[in-house]
Amino acid sequence: MKSDGGPRNYRKDTLLAHLGRHPEGQHGAVNPPVYHASTILSSNMAEWEKKRDPKTRFDVVRYGLLGTPTTFALEEALAAIEGGYRAMLMSSGLAAITAPLQACLKCGDHLLMVDSAYGPARNFCERVLTRCGIATTYYDPLIGDGIAKLMRPNTKVVYVESPGSLTFEVQDVPTIAAAAHEAGAKVLMDNTWASPYLFPSFARGVDVSIHAATKYIVGHSDVILGAVITTEEMYLKVRTMAADLGHCAAPDDAYYALRGLRTMGVRLERHGQNALAVARWLQRRPEVSRVLYPALPEDPGHALWKRDFLGATGLFGVVLKPAPKEAVYAMIDALDLFGIGSSWGGFESLILPTNPERGRTATRWNAEGPTLRLHIGLEDPQDLIEDLERGFHRLRIAMAA
Ligand SMILES: Cc1ncc(COP(=O)(O)O)c(C=O)c1O
């Protein structure tokens, strides 16, 4: 933007195209250069001293670990898109989960963690937080205002992830946040599914928003990266812990994420459209019991999703009618366009069998058949449907054998 002085309320798509770019300071080049830097030189001791002022520790370029113009550019854009105060980058989405938890919890504290959380977040509670004397209680993702009953005097964090990993329950985040704040706890949210673009977490009461930028922000399945966006109140606490732990992001990765961000709005719109088309088709299949996708009117979370989200992305679950594992594997192996692999959020479609029943403790996942997770990419949805049709054909053959 040539002038950022005026009170212009640019909309998100405009911000996606313009934020974090300062061509006037880089010979007019549209995109910012990539700073590969560890050492940052000062021209004299006065400048060296000035850069070490603790009050501006995270605002100046003084050591590669603490940020460069490349990482600052991405942070500026991410915070503005989600409506947060400031952002910080981490080496992975998982690091973006663990560092804020470490910042907000100390020995003797209690954490309320959603039962449908991303598995490795749970592992962190079990394997690391327990060793620090921090207790975790898992809660039903559909608990709503019932969360108030689980709050203890030492509950410092309520962790939400909506929709839930693998099972896609939509949480009533504003209600949970109100109860948490009433009891003096902070709300940390894994907002990766919606990205900063489709769930304005701070307007819904969240204090710290966590993103696996690896997914839709980067969008091309070629970078592992995390981002944390916070309110003003939480910024220094989380940023300081991240620095104390030595978290940072590689310059090329930050650049790729900034580049991905420019097209995130149009990509997400297409992911959502394609996913809805495939999900609707799947709903009508005789092999399918139900589709776990809040954008479908039949989904139990649809009303909340419509109230709180600005759209849907390309990731959802499918519960099949009862079928042996071998038949499901034969179906997946027959697919041409769906890759078999971890992660999601790239331009391409993926499929995996999942086991949501494993690891749950507060709720039971009693599905009537095997569960799959699909990521719907940017391919023509009709080709994806025809591919799945071939897969179901193989499923039926395997079941008849
Ligand atoms: C919901 C969610 N959060 C966080 C992560 C972790 O991201 P990363 O793979 O960048 O560590 C993932 C990865 O699959 C995820 O699905």
Side-chain angles (χ1 to χ4, degrees), residues 45-162:
M45 284 313 296
E47 189 184 319
W48 166 261
E49 280 284 341
K50 191 162 173 250
K51 280 187 179 168
R52 298 184 70 76
D53 182 345
K55 289 199 285 295
T56 53
R57 191 175 170 212
F58 302 117
D59 305 334
V60 294
V61 182
R62 70 170 228 205
Y63 184 50
L65 182 82
L66 297 175
T68 64
T70 316
T71 57
F72 289 167
L74 177 59
E75 290 170 358
E76 175 196 336
L78 288 173
I81 299 300
E82 191 160 341
Y85 172 63
R86 279 180 72 170
M88 65 204 85
L89 304 182
M90 311 274 168
S91 58
S92 69
L94 184 54
I97 293 171
T98 61
L101 284 172
Q102 284 170 296
C104 297
L105 293 162
K106 61 177 184 339
C107 183
D109 286 347
H110 174 239
L111 158 69
L112 282 171
M113 167 65 86
V114 64
D115 210 25
S116 50
Y118 171 61
R122 241 188 131 97
N123 295 343
F124 181 73
C125 299
E126 303 302 307
R127 295 182 195 153
V128 183
L129 293 185
T130 43
R131 292 171 53 184
C132 306
I134 297 160
T136 302
T137 302
Y138 296 93
Y139 68 87
D140 183 343
L142 303 178
I143 197 164
D145 60 4
I147 197 86
K149 292 201 195 79
L150 299 183
M151 303 295 303
R152 300 179 191 167
N154 60 340
T155 306
K156 293 289 156 50
V157 170
V158 178
Y159 186 100
V160 299
E161 181 184 334
S162 182

Side-chain angles (χ1 to χ4, degrees), residues 142-344:
L142 303 178
I143 197 164
D145 60 4
I147 197 86
K149 292 201 195 79
L150 299 183
M151 303 295 303
R152 300 179 191 167
N154 60 340
T155 306
K156 293 289 156 50
V157 170
V158 178
Y159 186 100
V160 299
E161 181 184 334
S162 182
S165 266
L166 310 182
T167 44
F168 301 92
E169 298 93 336
V170 180
Q171 293 196 255
D172 189 343
V173 175
T175 298
I176 291 173
H181 291 156
E182 175 75 26
K186 298 296 178 198
V187 179
L188 274 53
M189 175 173 189
D190 185 331
N191 195 16
T192 302
W193 184 85
S195 88
Y197 191 78
L198 293 179
F199 188 84
S201 65
F202 300 101
R204 308 281 182 264
V206 170
D207 299 287
V208 177
S209 177
I210 291 160
H211 292 278
T214 308
K215 320 298 181 202
Y216 287 118
I217 294 170
V218 167
H220 293 74
S221 305
D222 48 6
V223 167
I224 297 275
L225 188 69
V228 179
I229 307 165
T230 73
T231 57
E232 185 170 1
E233 185 196 351
M234 297 303 290
Y235 177 71
L236 273 182
K237 191 174 195 156
V238 182
R239 186 69 189 87
T240 304
M241 177 58 79
D244 288 348
L245 291 168
H247 286 303
C248 67
D252 288 314
D253 294 349
Y255 181 84
Y256 282 129
L258 200 52
R259 183 171 153 139
L261 204 64
R262 304 293 175 213
T263 57
M264 192 172 72
V266 285
R267 282 189 286 109
L268 286 183
E269 194 177 339
R270 185 63 74 86
H271 279 292
Q273 282 168 10
N274 286 1
L276 194 59
V278 175
R280 284 209 167 107
W281 179 82
L282 283 165
Q283 276 185 313
R284 296 192 297 270
R285 290 296 307 190
E287 300 86 352
V288 170
S289 177
R290 55 199 160 107
V291 180
L292 313 171
Y293 188 45
L296 291 168
E298 299 75 18
D299 189 275
H302 183 70
L304 273 183
W305 169 79
K306 228 174 151 178
R307 186 191 74 184
D308 290 346
F309 288 73
L310 307 174
T313 58
L315 191 76
F316 62 80
V318 177
V319 179
L320 297 176
K321 300 240 175 88
K325 181 175 153 186
E326 298 69 32
V328 177
Y329 280 20
M331 173 203 166
I332 294 174
D333 284 346
L335 298 174
D336 192 28
L337 297 175
F338 285 81
I340 304 169
S342 297
S343 204
W344 46 277

